[in-house]
Amino acid sequence: MSDHGRPERLGVIRRLREDIAAAKLRDPAARSSLEVAILYSGLHAIWSHRLAHALWTRGLRFPARALSQLTRWTSGIEIHPGATIGRRFFIDHGMGVVIGETAEIGDDVMLYHGVTLGGRTRDSGKRHPTIGDGVAVGAGAKILGPILIGAGSAVGANAVVTQDAPENSVLVGVPAKARPRRSGEDTRGVLTAPEYHI
């Protein structure tokens, strides 16, 4: 954040470098910045979304949707151009991720493949989730409706979340139940430990 409380504006090159660094930090298989930039479909989907979102917010709705559909065809990741996404967002593997129009995603969020940030109603207005800063969402998880997942939380693989969760929660099960994170509990451990899989 800037000194005046407004989000810091980054140049394009600096933003791309920040995204690549975030991917390398979160993916132990990442070997080089060049490999990440060229081969990571999750990163390509995020970059495409930024352009589509810029078009969407300027009222260029058809070109924005066309770009998002092209990205869906090439990456298997569907991000509505109306969705709001923060900095250092990373989608690992990516295939099958769906992010709805009114979804809001904070900074430093990570999603695995098969995650849905979806709605539960056909009404207009806010109908998709808000994901706080630093949240990690395991493979196949579904977060549905205009709910809030508090910052620092972890959603286990295949969980189905339909209710708000406070900050620093662990959400597992169908329907998901929240519990506080234990002191020193590692996010990767939460997302991969057998007890958290359905």
Side-chain angles (χ1 to χ4, degrees), residues 25 45 47 63 71 100 105 118-119 125 182 186-187 194 196:
L25 177 68
W47 291 341
T71 303
I105 300 172
R182 297 180 188 111
D186 177 58
T187 297
Y196 299 122

Side-chain angles (χ1 to χ4, degrees), residues 52-98:
H53 185 70
L55 294 170
W56 184 266
T57 57
R58 288 166 176 77
L60 301 169
R61 301 295 170 91
F62 184 83
R65 287 302 304 270
L67 178 56
S68 71
Q69 286 300 300
L70 177 63
T71 303
R72 177 186 179 201
W73 294 336
T74 59
S75 70
I77 299 167
E78 181 175 346
I79 307 175
H80 192 287
T84 304
I85 298 176
R87 292 171 58 184
R88 297 174 299 276
F89 177 54
F90 180 56
I91 302 172
D92 197 4
H93 301 292
M95 184 62 72
V97 168
V98 176

